[in-house]
Amino acid sequence: MTEPYRVVALPGEGIGPEVVDASLKVLLHLAKLEGFSLVIDYALIGQPAFNEFGKFFPDQTAQLCEGADGILFGAVTRGGILELRQHFDFFINFRPVRPFETLLDKSSLQSHKIQGADILFVRELVSGIYFGPSGRTEDDNGYYGFHTMKYYDWQIRRIAKVALGKAKERRGLLTVAHKENALPQIPWSRLVQEEAKHFPDVIVEPMLVDNLAMQLVREPKRFDVILAGNLFGDILSDIGGALVGSIGLLPSASLNERGFGLYEAIHGTAPDIAGKGIANPLGTMGAVVLMLQQWGETHAAINLIQAIERVLALGYRTADLAPQGQEILVNAETLTELIVQQLGS
C-alpha cells in the first residue's frame, strides 16, 4: 500500500474555512474512489493565528507544513500569506484561466470572444514590490509612504525558465508583461529573451502591461502563457475572473523548486458573504485539481473536473454566477454534495 498523501489545511478567515471544508469533502471522497489515502492536518494562519499565537504565520504552522505533500489554503485579510510564500520559496505561481463551456454566458465578454480561451498566468511570487524595502517617514514636504519594487536578475531568470518551459509544452507563445518605459532598471524583456535562447520553439512577445490588460479583454484567445512580476501578475490574473464569469472560479498553485506546493483560489476573504454558506467553492476545488496533477494523480484530477462540469451542465449555480432562467441557485453545501454524487457516476 502506498504512503498516504499528507495535506495541511490552512482555512484562514472570511470564506476561507467554507471553501476549504467543501473542497476537502470532495477530495476525501475522491481518494476513496481512486484508491489513494489522505492525512489531513489543520493549522492557523492570518488573524486566527495572530489571536492565538501573536503571529500571522506562527512557527507551529510552518513546522506542520514541513514535509507535507501539499497545503490547501483558504484566505486571509492581511498577514500570513506573504510570510508563508517566502518561507517555502513558493516563487512559481500558476493561474490557469479556462472558461467552462456551460458558463460562457456568464463572461463579461460575448461568448464567441471567450469560447476556447486557455491562458496560463505565470506570476513571480516572492519578490517585487510586496517584498522590497518599505515604510513611512517624513521630509520637508510632509509624511509619505514608500514600497520598493526590487528584482534580482536571477529571480527573473528562474521564473522565466519556468514560463518558457510551460509555453513549450503548450502552444509556444510567451507574453511578457513589463513596464520598461517607466521602469527601465528592471529588464524583464531582455532577461527573458536571453533565457529563451534555450527554448527555440517558443516565441517571446514582450508587451507593456497596460496594453496587455487592454488586449486581454479585447482578444483573450490570442494569449497562451503570460509571464508577469508579482504586482502585475496579481492584477492581470484577476481580469481572468471577468473573462470566465466569476473570480470564485479561478484556482492557483504556488510551487517551489522542489515541486512542493500551496493550492488556493485567487479570491479573497469576501467578508460580506462569510458565514452565509453562499461562497463559490469551485476555485478551491480547481486548486485541488492542480494539486492532484502535481502529485501525478491524473485520473483523479480528470474525474473531479468532469464531475464539476456535469453539475454545471445540469444548471446548478452559486449566487456569484447570477442564476436566471432555468438555472438553479444552490448554496456551497448543496453544490458540494452534487459534485460528490457525480464523482461516482
Side-chain angles (χ1 to χ4, degrees), residues 88-103:
F88 288 104
D89 195 28
F90 290 137
F91 73 96
I92 305 164
N93 182 238
F94 294 135
R95 296 190 170 194
V97 176
R98 299 184 195 95
F100 288 101
E101 192 72 20
T102 51
L103 297 180

Side-chain angles (χ1 to χ4, degrees), residues 76-333:
V76 293
T77 305
R78 65 180 183 89
I81 185 62
L82 296 182
E83 297 93 328
L84 173 62
R85 290 168 179 169
Q86 194 165 49
H87 180 85
F88 288 104
D89 195 28
F90 290 137
F91 73 96
I92 305 164
N93 182 238
F94 294 135
R95 296 190 170 194
V97 176
R98 299 184 195 95
F100 288 101
E101 192 72 20
T102 51
L103 297 180
L104 291 176
D105 62 316
K106 305 301 181 184
S107 174
S108 297
L109 304 183
Q110 294 174 312
S111 296
H112 73 275
K113 287 276 192 179
I114 190 66
Q115 188 173 27
D118 183 355
I119 304 168
L120 178 64
F121 288 93
V122 180
R123 171 187 171 194
E124 199 289 326
L125 205 60
V126 297
S127 192
I129 202 163
Y130 298 155
F131 293 94
S134 63
R136 286 193 60 78
T137 187
E138 64 176 317
D139 61 17
D140 293 342
N141 291 317
Y143 288 98
Y144 68 93
F146 65 94
H147 290 267
T148 307
M149 184 182 290
K150 177 181 175 181
Y151 267 109
Y152 288 99
D153 288 1
W154 64 264
Q155 292 175 318
I156 296 174
R157 290 182 185 278
R158 71 171 181 173
I159 193 66
K161 291 175 185 176
V162 173
L164 287 160
K166 284 295 180 181
K168 181 180 179 181
E169 294 171 5
R170 290 164 51 98
R171 304 198 306 275
L173 174 63
L174 176 61
T175 304
V176 182
H178 71 92
K179 190 64 177 172
E180 289 164 16
N181 56 343
L183 305 171
Q185 304 306 321
I186 308 178
W188 278 86
S189 298
R190 175 175 63 80
L191 295 173
V192 174
Q193 286 171 328
E194 288 177 5
E195 293 302 323
K197 294 174 183 176
H198 305 290
F199 298 83
D201 297 331
V202 177
I203 297 170
V204 175
E205 172 191 52
M207 189 176 292
L208 287 165
V209 65
D210 38 0
N211 181 39
L212 205 166
M214 180 176 69
Q215 299 303 329
L216 270 171
V217 297
R218 288 187 63 190
E219 197 179 353
K221 287 192 285 187
R222 73 176 298 282
F223 293 100
D224 180 15
V225 178
I226 296 175
L227 171 62
N230 212 339
L231 176 63
F232 295 161
D234 194 357
I235 296 168
L236 288 173
S237 58
D238 276 16
I239 294 174
L243 297 181
V244 302
S246 171
I247 200 169
L249 295 170
L250 296 180
S252 76
S254 305
L255 307 174
N256 62 19
E257 200 80 59
R258 297 183 290 109
F260 175 51
L262 166 73
Y263 304 88
E264 59 179 314
I266 77 167
H267 61 65
T269 56
D272 55 323
I273 63 170
K276 297 180 180 179
I278 61 173
N280 188 341
L282 292 182
T284 310
M285 290 184 192
V288 167
V289 169
L290 297 177
M291 184 165 63
L292 291 166
Q293 291 171 338
Q294 183 66 16
W295 290 347
E297 297 288 350
T298 307
H299 188 269
I302 293 171
N303 192 354
L304 179 49
I305 292 168
Q306 291 177 341
I308 292 170
E309 289 176 339
R310 284 194 293 268
V311 169
L312 292 174
L314 291 170
Y316 294 102
R317 306 283 185 266
T318 45
D320 58 308
L321 294 170
Q324 54 189 322
Q326 300 300 310
E327 296 174 329
I328 307 161
L329 175 64
V330 292
N331 60 23
E333 182 178 1

